[in-house]
Amino acid sequence: MRAVKAVQQHYTPGSEILQMLEQFRQMLNDCVRIGLAENVSSLKSLSTKAYNQLATYDVMSYYKLCAISKATGILKNYRKAKRQGMRVKEPYARQLQLTTCYGFKIKTIEKALSLPFKPKQPLSIPLNAHVLRVLSEPNIQVCSVTLTDQQLSISYAKEVEPIQPHGLIAIDRNLDNLTVADSDGQMGRRNLAKATEVKAMYREIRSHMRRNDLRIRQRVTGKYGRKEREKVKRILHHASKQIVLDAKRREFGIVMEKLTGIRKLYRKGNWQGRGYRGRMNAWSFTELQRQIEYKARWQGIPVIYVNPSGTSVKCSICGSRMKPEENRQLKCRSCGFTVDRDVNAARNILARGVRFAPFASASEAMVQEPQRKVILKVDADELTKSAS
Ligand SMILES: [Zn+2]
């Protein structure tokens, strides 16, 4: 299994790099326009149609190939969205962003990234200690470099041996916490209220900005939005790291809900409005999953996604509908089981994960109906807890 990760750092681009970024943006838009006009979207046919037309650009051919390849991806997404009946504008790149998979070098001794610019005249960007340390990990292969006018990101990959999990950890993400239930019957909760506090703080700052100049306001809110995301990201990184470390230590797989829509976010208390706050919450939900997924893959830990429908309202013992009680408790209308709503959701996610991926298929002891055995064990533990 191939796992991919990326490492980022800030940098200040010189005039040559800014010029390259701008040229890349123009080439990308040219390729997209050609692809739309000629109705092609495969890499091969777009290369044939577009490569010669990029001759007017005085850039190394590496970047032309990368612009074509990136345009192919953009065209594919655009066509897919259109096929699904979504109303989408014709794609046009405004941001300065350049991705290259060829020609660059990581110079460890010079502590720099060397980028092709003119023949035999590469450009050099200093790399910080963190990036150099990450890239010195054994057995990794550097794949690509992405530059914007503020940040550089280097992606790298390695082959990992997938582990045969001895159990599963299910994760239920909520606005203020992360509740886990595992196939050994353990429950846990990780507090994420700090992330909510950060969001609330920035919301407060924004609400005090009453500037008439829309442009200044957008710039300021943009800046706070970025800082806020970085802070929340750090909190989420801490949580995702702990979860993956735990899964690795115990050789367990991870189960999460498929967050295809935003239905889950409508659960009471999770989603307040469709405005900025709602978008921020939606973003932090998917960001946590993204982090867990790539960190887990890097360790060879399987990640399973299950259908989220009903996980928050169905009884994790009998499957009947639950009735909300005080203090975030739910009570089953049918079997009377009373449980914390997040624990109940985590247990439902776990049960679905076990059904989709009987984790112990490799070990003989568990071959017979592994799923029932596990669910019963969890239930028994929880029942004694709620009874006492
Ligand atoms: Zn029940």
Side-chain angles (χ1 to χ4, degrees):
M1 176 167 85
R2 191 174 151 89
V4 183
K5 260 180 157 182
V7 60
Q8 284 93 15
Q9 76 165 63
H10 287 279
Y11 82 111
T12 314
S15 59
E16 288 112 335
I17 290 179
L18 284 174
Q19 180 200 333
M20 259 169 45
L21 285 166
E22 176 56 25
Q23 279 183 318
F24 192 83
R25 188 184 72 88
Q26 289 173 13
M27 289 197 296
L28 185 60
N29 285 328
D30 281 357
C31 294
V32 168
R33 204 169 49 237
I34 294 164
L36 290 172
E38 308 264 345
N39 198 27
V40 291
S41 58
S42 83
L43 181 61
K44 201 176 164 205
S45 44
L46 190 61
S47 303
T48 326
K49 306 259 181 207
Y51 191 77
N52 289 335
Q53 299 202 44
L54 297 178
T56 48
Y57 290 95
D58 180 24
V59 294
M60 310 252 323
S61 52
Y62 297 129
Y63 297 112
K64 295 180 183 172
L65 296 173
C66 289
I68 295 171
S69 146
K70 186 151 188 202
T72 310
I74 292 174
L75 288 165
K76 275 200 179 123
N77 287 341
Y78 170 70
R79 296 227 161 85
K80 189 178 170 197
K82 256 186 113 176
R83 263 204 312 280
Q84 290 171 344
M86 279 153 74
R87 278 170 57 187
V88 276
K89 272 199 226 154
E90 285 196 353
Y92 182 80
R94 282 189 179 77
Q95 277 184 320
L96 290 177
Q97 195 186 71
L98 176 160
T99 302
T100 178
C101 332
Y102 319 105
F104 66 89
K105 281 189 193 95
I106 309 292
K107 304 234 168 170
T108 343
I109 298 160
E110 290 93 331
K111 297 184 179 163
L113 166 71
S114 161
L115 279 175
F117 177 56
K118 296 271 143 83
K120 293 188 181 155
Q121 265 184 60
L123 291 176
S124 178
I125 303 174
L127 294 175
N128 68 27
H130 169 66
V131 171
L132 288 164
R133 192 174 54 244
V134 169
L135 295 180
S136 66
E137 196 178 315
N139 302 324
I140 63 160
Q141 198 189 353
V142 176
C143 314
S144 71
V145 171
T146 299
L147 297 177
T148 67
D149 54 350
Q150 293 172 12
Q151 194 176 239
L152 72 88
S153 169
I154 301 173
S155 82
Y156 55 101
K158 74 171 177 189
E159 273 308 312
V160 287
E161 195 61 46
I163 63 160
Q164 283 293 339
H166 300 312
L168 291 177
I169 300 174
I171 299 164
D172 178 54
R173 167 76 210 265
N174 294 288
L175 187 60
D176 282 345
N177 77 64
L178 209 148
T179 305
V180 297
D182 67 36
S183 52
D184 278 355
Q186 291 178 28
M187 307 285 162
R189 183 164 299 178
R190 201 166 282 282
N191 194 348
L192 291 179
K194 251 198 193 150
T196 322
E197 279 164 28
V198 170
K199 289 183 221 166
M201 185 183 84
Y202 280 99
R203 196 160 53 242
E204 182 71 14
I205 294 173
R206 260 189 304 275
S207 71
H208 287 298
M209 287 189 294
R210 291 274 176 267
R211 299 289 277 276
N212 286 328
D213 186 339
L214 185 70
R215 264 165 51 215
I216 290 179
R217 221 172 127 182
Q218 278 172 343
R219 207 158 60 217
V220 173
T221 48
K223 185 178 122 198
Y224 282 114
R226 206 163 43 240
K227 279 193 175 174
E228 178 180 6
R229 274 200 298 277
E230 274 172 21
K231 278 202 174 161
V232 174
K233 239 182 182 175
R234 233 171 295 147
I235 296 165
L236 299 180
H237 267 302
H238 184 72
S240 57
K241 188 181 172 184
Q242 298 301 318
I243 285 180
V244 172
L245 276 178
D246 183 45
K248 192 196 174 187
R249 188 176 52 79
R250 298 161 68 195
E251 300 195 333
F252 273 30
I254 293 173
V255 197
M256 293 186 282
E257 288 180 315
K258 213 184 279 159
L259 284 183
T260 43
I262 46 169
R263 282 181 55 171
K264 160 80 186 279
L265 304 176
Y266 279 100
R267 194 195 287 178
K268 252 191 192 148
N270 273 347
W271 177 274
Q272 284 89 12
R274 290 157 191 274
Y276 182 82
R277 194 172 169 188
R279 283 205 311 279
M280 190 65 208
N281 289 341
W283 169 81
S284 77
F285 272 69
T286 45
E287 173 61 18
L288 184 83
Q289 286 207 337
R290 189 188 69 83
Q291 291 181 6
I292 292 176
E293 165 136 18
Y294 84 75
K295 287 177 189 177
R297 277 183 74 91
W298 196 254
Q299 304 290 350
I301 297 165
V303 177
I304 302 152
Y305 285 100
V306 297
N307 183 348
S309 75
T311 48
S312 56
V313 290
K314 280 185 186 159
C315 171
S316 53
I317 289 185
C318 71
S320 307
R321 257 191 109 76
M322 307 283 275
K323 187 168 82 205
E325 303 254 290
E326 283 178 348
N327 296 326
R328 301 166 71 99
Q329 297 281 306
L330 294 173
K331 187 175 181 176
C332 177
R333 290 171 200 268
S334 166
C335 72
F337 177 53
T338 304
V339 63
D340 175 272
R341 58 165 212 182
D342 301 330
V343 169
N344 187 60
R347 287 158 42 107
N348 278 327
I349 296 167
L350 176 69
R352 279 180 201 186
V354 175
R355 220 179 316 147
F356 281 103
F359 50 81
S361 55
S363 84
E364 292 163 7
M366 297 291 280
V367 166
Q368 289 163 333
E369 293 189 49
Q371 52 265 62
R372 269 201 77 188
K373 212 167 172 181
V374 169
I375 293 168
L376 284 175
K377 184 167 183 213
V378 177
D379 288 347
D381 286 358
E382 192 53 35
L383 273 173
T384 40
K385 251 188 247 166
S386 61
S388 55

